[in-house]
Structures are given as structure tokens and as C-alpha cells.
Amino acid sequence: MAIVRAASNAIHALTLPFVRRSLQAAVIFGMALPASAQVDPRVIEQLQGRLQGTQDAGAQVDRAREQSDRVALPMTTEITSEERELRRQQSRIQLDSLYRPSPVERQYRERLGDTSLRQFGYDLFRVSEGGSGSVTGEVSDGYVLGPGDELVVTFQGATNSSQNARVARDGRLIVGTLPPIRAAGRTLGSVRTSLAEATRQNLLGTDVFVSLGGVRSATVLVGGEVERPGQYQVTALSDIANALALAGGVRKAGSLRNIRLVRGGVTRTVDLYALLGIGTAPRIRVQDGDRIVVPVIGDTVAVTGAVARPGIYELRGSASVGDVLAFAGGALYPRGYQIAISRIGEDGRETFVRPQGTAVAIWSGDGVQVLSGSAGAAFERVVLAGHVRNPGPRALSAVPTLADLIGGPEDLELGTYMPMAVIVRRNPLTGMRSYEAADLRGALDRSRPVALRGDDRVYVFSADDIAFLNSSATRQIILGQPNPRPQCLALEKLESLVADTQSPRFNVITRGTITVERGGRDVAASAGRALTGAGGIDQPLDVSQTRQGQAADGERGAECPEVFEDAPELLPVLIEHSVSVGGAVRRPGAYPVASSISAEALISASDGIMANVRDPMLDITPAAGAFRRYEMPEGQEDRLANVLVSAGDDIRVTANSAAYEAGAVLLTGEFNSPGLYTIRKGERLSELVARAGGLTDQAYPYGAVFTRRSVRDQQQEGFKRTARELNTSLLALASQENVNGQAIAAAGELIQTLSSTEAVGRMVIEADPRVLAQRSDLDPILDGGDTLHIPKKPTYVLALGDVSNPGALQFQPGKSVSEYVAEAGGTQSTADGGRVFLVLPNGSAQPVRSSFWRRSNAVVPPGSTIIVPKNLQPLRTLGIVRDVATIFGQLATAVASVAILADRN
């Protein structure tokens, strides 16, 4: 019973949206469903209840939507620290892409070949806006007071009071009954001492506490090489950096080390490098009337190479090599490095100088290059990186082979890809870099030992790294489409490489790919990714991949793997060493191999052959050679260990289709054992009915409701297509003169209803087992997802639409359509007697075409529905009555189907 109840709930959930839409359509055409019923009110009550419930629910939803339109929902603005940091990094990337080097930077970049060189220190003002200089935190006793400063003086003890006192223009400070105190030009600490002494003399038993409450303002003039020269209002707590920030900062043509501060006719020079960690300088606060002048940049020197902070630095007086190395944070290597200086001589020619020691003097315009330690040191070690437990450098003498470097299988991370590792190797004579593939499995079991050389870098990959090769983003790039993940450096470089070479170097990735159009753009879809059940039958193409790089079902490694971000050149190397694997394997795609590899090992790398396949065959299409096919008898898969394939080959495991469909079939109603049933390929309806124990004695197979997903999709598309065609016709008619406005409104309502109607996907079939036993051609083959409902034999006929008393009428054999309509009170004056529909219990519909339909001899079986539509005369003026009549017939058939489904419980 639980299975039957679950099956009933499932079909209820599937049909309820269709019931709502179909009943709404019925209301539009006058097929009102009254509460009264003459014979069988239960069905009418169910239909009415659903109609009323859905209408009430729809009204509530509409009211909620109206309220939500009027009330603005609060938006959450909180972001995590990680999200904030990500935004900052993205902003930096965007700013770097928009960066324009200054003339000084361009000159040094061309000479030294370092395109990353920038002038040091000018980022100091990139974010700062200067600020108002408001008082926050503690102010030191060394602050010098002046006219306009305000102090907060609090007395406690015999006298308790608090008051604000401002330094007057004459420089005096008057606090209550205390005698005036000279404050201007004195520090805050000395004034506090004077107030304490005056309090002891004049207010016995009272302590005084003094703090700075308000700071006087100052007007300064900022000029020279700043972004916005002019006069600025600051506070007395502001320093030169604050004033420069208000002026937009120093231009790259201006000096950071020789800024002039003019005060009372005296000029001081300020070095802003002290704010950047180079040198020390006292903080100089501005005063009212100060002038700050930024002159043109002075002598410069560039430092590049193996230093902590490469850049272009401004000199202030004489400097040595050691001084400029200190500017750059020092050399990365504590010893063994070399220094070369690019110097422009008196004749304008560039010369290279090898200084002896760091005490050698630097000339203006020098370019200092710090070269790392001797290359011979690098040749004494190797580096292990990637999906391993013990990455890092090793001494070559301790690990002469790849097996020694890794250690053993236990030193590999779970999910390590064994068929191929990559060794990045540098030629000691030419210095050129090369990439060599290594069989990781063969290296570890020493069947294919791999000797290492000095300065080798070994990369080991994970299964997710290999899955990234087969991602939709990689396929799209190789097909020449835009990069859907511009933040991924490896894909960005692959895109450039594909655009430059235009060669078939990477086509192994796209052999199982077809380009389709989706949403107005070309999309790469895999033809071999989705397989039905356990067989090798390709399903319809998965074209859900979009420009944004959404991952396909089962696609792993969606993010840009770390190994490809660290070494983006590895991605094309792996692709060109790949074998294409397809068919009945768990993860079809491209798999890199070091050299020749057994088909058994490659199939194992693709997670093996899917379970329950029948009679698999291995097809091999080599890059050079003839096609080969191998049988794979059950229990003898190890025979593929001697079948070798190489990079560029194509292999496919071909298998017969699965024994079972991917989806189940739902049986409800008058079956002896209703419920969900798995079905075999090619199973027919009669066979499934027999498995369900046959039909009960009350079953009415003539009223069977059989639905199929593919039919529902076709019907739904038909509704939308018809609505579009009607809308086009209606727009053309609306532009004409003398068009009936009411007819236009009625047609528009019809289009809206048709667009929102949900198809049920009903098929007219023969469901009587006795007939199917005699007529095998009428026995349908089942698909996964089919549903079949067999109702009880009804004792009524529905009369709906524009009749006087719509409802369920007692069925009587031989009674005609006209007699049933007469029993329902006859037609109303608004009825269209020439377009009466008779919907039979099996879902087929037929119009009672005779103009004298009252004399029609049409047979009316039990469970039929007679529908009398309203007169379509208002729509006749639009010239689309024929189309509307066809639509009405489709909706009438849907309403009749709903009537049967409503009675299924």
C-alpha cells in the first residue's frame, strides 16, 4: 500500500500544475464547473476544489507579488574578509591592466629588459584621500598650542566643574577664575603644568585635568608636481603627507626626496622616503601659511634581478652600490651573487660595469642588475612538485632516479594520475627548457627507470588535474572560442597558443565534441560524456555549457588547478601527449601518456568499464596505422595488458545497450499491483501490465491516461509556437483600422493562457490486455518516465461549457449527444452550436461537425466529455477563428484528461 500511495502522490504532483492551467483555460471559454451535479458529484467537486484552491493560491501569490513590488527588500551588504580580499585582488589586476608607465619607467624597462619596473614610493598616495586631520586617540604633550586650539579643563575635589577654554588671538588662555596663562607657542605639557600650579594656588583641595578638545585649522598652499595644486584647509595635527594627499599626491615627474617646505621665509627639505622605510626623519606638522613645493624628480637609479624589492629609486646626494641594494631590500641570496651595472657614459653610450664590492659609487641613471648565485649550484639538486606528500628540493646525489625522488606509492597522494608525469629540464649548454614525459608507474616499479639530471623539476598530477583537460572551458578554447575563465592563467596562455599556432596539436581533446548554438552563442558539447545506463548508447548532446564555464554533470576539476597556475605551460604539454578514450567507460576524455601504454592501464585510468555492460569490444584507431578491434570476454580483461596504444591514438569501448531503461514507469489506478516498475529495453505495455498482476474487475482500460515526457515537451513547444504565431497575427491586425477592441482583448487573453498552459503529454493508446494480445502492433514500447493511469469504469458523462447546468450526467447506453445536452438544460444563448466537441475516454477528441448536431448519431461511451464552447463571433472579425477553434479543441481534450485524473483516487 505504501508503494501505491507513493505512486499516487507522484502522479498527483506531476498533474496538479497541468490541472490548474487547463481549468483556467476552461473558464476563459465558458466551461464553468458548477458545484451541483446530478449523478456523480464527487468528480465535479474534485475539479471545483482544485480550481478554487489554485485560484485562491494564485490570488495570494499575486497579492504577495504586488506587495513585494511596493516594498523594497533590504539588501545584505555584509561581506566576509575573504570576499573583501578577493575584490581587492581583482581591483589590483584591473589597475595593473590599465597601468601606463612613465617616461622614466619606459627608459629603464627598455634598457634592462624588465617590464615590471616601477618608480618606488608613488603608491603612497594611490588610496589615501588626505583626511581632515581630526583628533583621534591621544595627543602627545609635545603638541605646540596656538590661537584657535581648544582645551577641556576639568576640576575635581573641593571644586567640581568642567569647561572648554580656547586659546585667544593674543595667545592667552583664560579658565574660570584662574589668572590668564600664556599658551600660544607653548607645548600642551607645559600648559598643563601651569594650570596645575595655578589651581593649587587659587583652588584649595582641587585637582585639574587637561585634554585637547579642538584643534585649530591651518591654510597651506601646495604647488609643483602634484595632481591638484592649490590652497587647502588642514588641521594643526596634519603633516606634509596629509597636505600632499589632499592635493592628489605627487606625480611621477615630481620628487619624493627633495620636497620644499617654505615657512616664514625659511626653506626646509623633506624626504618622504622616511615614510616608506628608507631612512628616518622627524614628522613635520604644517602651520598656517606654509607653502609646500614639489620640484621635478632628481637623479634616479634602477635595481632589478634577485632583490627583494626591484624598482626605480630616487637618489639624494651621493650613494654607493650597497645603498641602492638596501633601497631594494637587499639581495635574495645572502652570498654568491654578482652585480652588473648598465651605465650611460659621457658620450651617451651604454656600457656594463662589474663593480668590485658594494662600496663603489653609483652614477645617476645607472641600472643595477643583481644576478643570482652560480648556475652550477642549481645543477646539484632536483625539485619535486604536484600531487605528492613530500614536495620540495632534493640533492641529486641522494635521488639519482625518479623512483628515488618520490620514494614509493605510499608517498603519493590519493588519486594520483600514474600514466604520466612531466620533467621540466634545462639544457646545460643552450639553457633552453624542455619537457619530457615519464611513466610514473613504470618508474616506481623500476620496469622503466627514469634517470634525473641536475636542475630537473618533476611534476606529478592528480585525477582532478587530468579532468581539467576535459573541462568545457578547455574544449571551447581549443575550438577557437573565447576563454570562459579569464582569471585562469593556464587557459589564458592556452588561448594565445591556440590562436598563434592554428594547428591540430590539441585536437585529441575535441574529437568527442560538437559545436552547437545555445542562447545565441556557440557552445562546445560533448557527444561521449553522457551514456545511458551501462551501455555505450549516446544520449542527446549536453549543451548546458555556457560562456560562463558551468561544469557538465560529473565534470570534476572545475576550478583552475594549482599546478597549472604555477606552471601554465604544462597544460598544452599534457594535451599533446594524450590518448582519446570514449565509449562505455566511466570517465571518457583525453588521457596523457608518457609513451606506449597498455589499453588495460588506460581504461583503468578512466575509472574502468561501466558495470553491467554486455559483450564489450575495444576499438583502436591509431594515429598511424590500421583500425583494430579486440574482444573483451568476461573475466579475461587482462588480455588487454599486451595491447599497446600511444599518444594521438583513439580508443573506444563499444558495448551493447543496457538491459534496463534509465527511468522507471509509474502505474496507478486499477492494477492489482500498482507502483513504480523498472523496465527492460524494448519492454511493451502488455508485458508490464502482466507483471503488475493485470487489471482489476473495475478497470476501464478505454479511459486509460498514458503520458510520456517527450510527448509533453513536444506539446509544450507546440503551445508556445502557436502562441507566438497568434501574437504575430494579432500585432498585425491591431495596426489596422476599424478593429474590434474587445476581440483584440479576448485574443490577447487567449494567447496569455496558451503561453502559460502546461502540457500533460498524453498519448492515445490501446490499454486493454485482451486487445493487445490479439493486436501486437498496437502494443506500445515503453520509455523511462512513462506513466499509466487506469480509472474505474465511470457511470457518468460530463457536459461542460456553455450549457445551462454543466455537470456529470447518468450514462445510458445509446443516448445521443443532443439528449445529454438537453438533460443538462440545453445550450445558452451565447453557445456556439456549430463547434461542439466530444472527447472520448481514451483522450481522442472529435468535433460533432453536423450543423444539425442535435440529430447526430455519435456514440457516447461512459466517461466521455461533451464540451459546448462559447460563440467565437467576436474573434471572427480578426480572421483567426480557425486557429482559435483548433486551440480550443486541444484545451478541451486536456480538460477531459484532467477529469479522469481527478477521479483516480
Side-chain angles (χ1 to χ4, degrees):
M1 292 301 294
I3 295 177
V4 175
R5 190 178 299 109
S8 178
N9 292 338
I11 194 169
H12 174 78
L14 290 172
T15 56
L16 183 58
F18 171 75
V19 170
R20 174 170 56 83
R21 298 296 186 186
S22 300
L23 293 180
Q24 289 176 354
V27 170
I28 290 178
F29 284 93
M31 297 184 290
L33 304 178
S36 63
Q38 296 180 5
V39 178
D40 191 352
R42 185 165 59 90
V43 174
I44 301 301
E45 289 175 357
Q46 287 179 353
L47 293 174
Q48 270 191 302
R50 293 189 181 185
L51 174 61
Q52 184 65 35
T54 53
Q55 287 178 339
D56 293 344
Q60 294 174 5
V61 172
D62 291 341
R63 288 194 295 270
R65 286 176 176 172
E66 291 176 359
Q67 293 176 1
S68 66
D69 291 339
R70 291 193 297 268
V71 179
L73 296 177
M75 298 185 65
T76 303
T77 57
E78 268 190 47
I79 60 173
T80 64
S81 58
E82 292 81 3
E83 292 173 333
R84 186 179 296 108
E85 181 60 27
L86 177 61
R87 293 183 181 181
R88 289 173 179 170
Q89 292 179 4
Q90 292 173 341
S91 299
R92 294 190 191 103
I93 293 174
Q94 293 176 354
L95 289 174
D96 289 341
S97 64
L98 299 175
Y99 185 80
R100 295 293 180 270
S102 67
V104 174
E105 291 170 337
R106 286 198 298 268
Q107 191 265 344
Y108 279 114
R109 288 182 178 189
E110 291 175 1
R111 282 175 53 197
L112 302 179
D114 187 350
T115 58
S116 63
L117 281 176
R118 293 192 182 186
Q119 291 177 251
F120 173 75
Y122 292 87
D123 290 344
L124 176 66
F125 306 100
R126 186 167 63 177
V127 178
S128 175
E129 295 294 338
S132 62
S134 58
V135 180
T136 58
E138 182 181 2
V139 178
S140 67
D141 285 348
Y143 175 70
V144 179
L145 297 175
D149 284 335
E150 185 178 57
L151 300 180
V152 179
V153 183
T154 303
F155 297 101
Q156 291 184 357
T159 302
N160 291 300
S161 65
S162 180
Q163 57 183 293
N164 294 345
R166 188 181 298 274
V167 179
R169 290 187 177 276
D170 59 1
R172 295 188 303 168
L173 179 69
I174 300 176
V175 181
T177 59
L178 298 179
I181 297 175
R182 184 179 61 81
R186 298 178 59 192
T187 64
L188 176 62
S190 65
V191 172
R192 181 182 288 112
T193 301
S194 297
L195 284 174
E197 180 66 25
T199 301
R200 283 195 299 270
Q201 295 177 3
N202 297 275
L203 300 174
L204 299 178
T206 302
D207 296 325
V208 64
F209 302 91
V210 182
S211 62
L212 186 64
V215 182
R216 68 185 183 276
S217 62
T219 301
V220 297
L221 180 66
V222 182
E225 295 297 323
V226 293
E227 294 294 337
R228 296 186 298 271
Q231 193 170 356
Y232 293 92
Q233 195 83 11
V234 296
T235 68
L237 290 176
S238 301
D239 59 11
I240 291 179
N242 297 131
L244 291 174
L246 286 174
V250 179
R251 297 173 184 166
K252 290 191 175 181
S255 172
L256 292 180
R257 309 202 64 182
N258 295 288
I259 297 174
R260 295 195 292 270
L261 173 64
V262 182
R263 178 180 297 168
V266 178
T267 301
R268 299 180 59 182
T269 302
V270 179
D271 183 4
L272 289 186
Y273 268 23
L275 300 178
L276 302 170
I278 298 177
T280 57
R283 183 179 182 183
I284 301 177
R285 290 194 176 97
V286 297
Q287 297 182 9
D288 190 45
D290 282 354
R291 288 181 295 165
I292 301 172
V293 181
V294 179
V296 176
I297 190 172
D299 297 338
T300 59
V301 61
V303 184
T304 185
V307 290
R309 188 172 56 191
I312 301 171
Y313 298 88
E314 184 179 0
L315 298 176
R316 189 180 186 189
S318 60
S320 65
V321 172
D323 295 332
V324 298
L325 287 182
F327 292 168
L332 295 179
Y333 292 84
R335 60 192 61 86
Y337 60 87
Q338 299 178 7
I339 299 175
I341 300 178
S342 168
R343 177 168 295 172
I344 305 299
E346 297 293 342
D347 56 358
R349 295 182 179 181
E350 181 183 18
T351 59
F352 291 90
V353 179
R354 292 277 187 176
Q356 300 298 321
T358 58
V360 176
I362 287 291
W363 292 15
S364 172
D366 279 355
V368 179
Q369 295 177 292
V370 179
L371 310 178
S372 62
S374 156
F379 276 101
E380 296 177 1
R381 68 169 186 167
V382 293
V383 178
L384 178 62
H387 198 65
V388 292
R389 296 183 185 273
N390 54 349
R394 307 283 194 278
L396 178 60
S397 59
V399 289
T401 66
L402 182 56
D404 298 325
L405 176 64
I406 294 177
E410 66 277 3
D411 295 306
L412 297 174
E413 293 281 1
L414 187 64
T416 299
Y417 183 73
M418 302 298 291
M420 179 176 172
V422 174
I423 302 175
V424 181
R425 180 165 286 171
R426 184 174 65 173
N427 189 305
L429 298 178
T430 64
M432 298 297 293
R433 184 170 48 186
S434 64
Y435 303 90
E436 297 189 11
D439 182 355
L440 194 56
R441 178 180 298 177
L444 292 180
D445 63 18
R446 301 189 184 273
S447 61
R448 293 184 178 180
V450 178
L452 297 178
R453 302 176 187 172
D455 201 24
D456 278 356
R457 192 174 186 88
V458 179
Y459 288 92
V460 178
F461 304 96
S462 68
D464 286 343
D465 297 335
I466 304 306
F468 183 74
L469 269 66
N470 302 291
S471 65
S472 61
T474 307
R475 294 199 305 269
Q476 287 183 214
I477 291 174
I478 293 174
L479 287 172
Q481 301 169 16
N483 180 11
R485 300 180 195 169
Q487 73 278 6
C488 183
L489 179 61
L491 292 181
E492 182 180 353
K493 290 186 176 297
L494 179 63
E495 183 181 27
S496 301
L497 189 60
V498 170
D500 292 340
T501 59
Q502 297 291 330
S503 68
R505 176 183 175 189
F506 310 120
N507 65 7
V508 67
I509 295 291
T510 57
R511 289 177 188 171
T513 302
I514 187 171
T515 305
V516 297
E517 184 175 345
R518 180 79 169 182
R521 59 171 61 95
D522 290 338
V523 177
S526 174
R529 181 171 297 278
L531 304 174
T532 61
I537 305 301
D538 291 337
Q539 285 184 340
L541 295 175
D542 176 16
V543 292
S544 61
Q545 304 298 333
T546 63
R547 172 77 180 271
Q548 286 72 24
Q550 298 171 345
D553 292 340
E555 185 176 294
R556 294 188 286 175
E559 297 299 327
C560 209
E562 182 178 355
V563 65
F564 295 135
E565 286 297 278
D566 294 340
E569 66 276 2
L570 295 178
L571 182 60
V573 172
L574 290 178
I575 294 175
E576 67 177 339
H577 283 83
S578 294
V579 174
S580 177
V581 181
V585 293
R586 290 188 175 90
R587 284 203 300 153
Y591 289 88
V593 297
S595 56
S596 60
I597 186 174
S598 69
E600 178 192 27
L602 199 55
I603 292 175
S604 175
S606 63
D607 286 352
I609 301 175
M610 290 186 291
N612 300 323
V613 298
R614 297 187 299 169
D615 304 325
M617 304 282 291
L618 177 64
D619 296 339
I620 299 179
T621 306
F627 171 82
R628 294 174 288 167
R629 168 166 286 186
Y630 299 88
E631 295 182 357
M632 301 170 62
E634 185 176 358
Q636 301 182 26
E637 290 82 0
D638 55 350
R639 65 183 298 180
L640 298 179
N642 298 322
V643 178
L644 301 180
V645 294
S646 302
D649 291 352
D650 183 279
I651 71 173
R652 179 179 178 85
V653 177
T654 304
N656 293 330
S657 59
Y660 291 94
E661 287 282 359
V665 173
L666 177 63
L667 300 182
T668 59
E670 296 305 311
F671 293 94
N672 286 315
S673 298
L676 286 167
Y677 286 86
T678 58
I679 58 172
R680 292 179 173 273
K681 291 278 189 178
E683 186 167 359
R684 294 184 179 272
L685 177 60
S686 60
E687 298 172 340
L688 183 58
V689 172
R691 289 169 55 195
L695 305 181
T696 66
D697 296 338
Q698 293 80 28
Y700 186 51
Y702 187 49
V705 178
F706 183 85
T707 65
R708 176 163 289 176
R709 288 182 299 181
S710 59
V711 175
R712 180 187 60 205
D713 295 340
Q714 293 175 6
Q715 290 176 350
Q716 195 71 55
E717 182 59 32
F719 285 156
K720 294 180 181 179
R721 181 173 59 255
T722 304
R724 290 194 299 267
E725 293 173 354
L726 285 177
N727 191 51
T728 302
S729 302
L730 192 62
L731 290 175
L733 292 171
S735 62
Q736 300 178 5
E737 297 180 357
N738 302 322
V739 178
N740 189 339
Q742 294 182 350
I744 293 291
E749 191 173 3
L750 169 63
I751 293 172
Q752 183 178 2
T753 301
L754 191 61
S755 299
S756 59
T757 298
E758 297 178 11
V760 71
R762 184 176 183 181
M763 291 175 55
V764 178
I765 65 166
E766 178 58 64
D768 192 335
R770 296 168 298 180
V771 177
L772 296 178
Q774 301 295 326
R775 295 285 305 277
S776 59
D777 57 311
L778 299 179
D779 199 358
I781 297 176
L782 300 175
D783 283 345
D786 289 347
T787 66
L788 177 61
H789 175 72
I790 302 292
K792 293 182 179 180
K793 186 173 182 179
T795 59
Y796 59 88
V797 171
L798 289 177
L800 303 176
D802 220 18
V803 295
S804 298
N805 188 21
L809 307 172
Q810 179 70 47
F811 167 75
Q812 294 181 14
K815 185 183 288 188
S816 64
V817 174
S818 59
E819 290 172 325
Y820 282 114
V821 173
E823 191 174 347
T827 61
Q828 298 185 12
S829 59
T830 56
D832 187 352
R835 298 187 182 277
V836 177
F837 285 87
L838 176 63
V839 182
L840 300 176
N842 66 349
S844 61
Q846 60 184 38
V848 184
R849 297 186 180 279
S850 173
S851 59
F852 302 98
W853 63 271
R854 296 177 180 83
R855 302 176 185 176
S856 173
N857 294 324
V859 178
V860 183
S864 298
T865 304
I866 302 170
I867 300 177
V868 180
K870 282 185 177 294
N871 191 352
L872 303 179
Q873 185 61 35
L875 298 177
R876 294 181 186 276
T877 59
L878 299 181
I880 58 174
V881 176
R882 181 176 302 174
D883 296 334
V884 173
T886 302
I887 297 168
F888 176 72
Q890 297 172 352
L891 297 179
T893 303
V895 171
S897 301
V898 170
I900 298 176
L901 292 175
D903 193 31
R904 70 186 183 277
N905 296 324

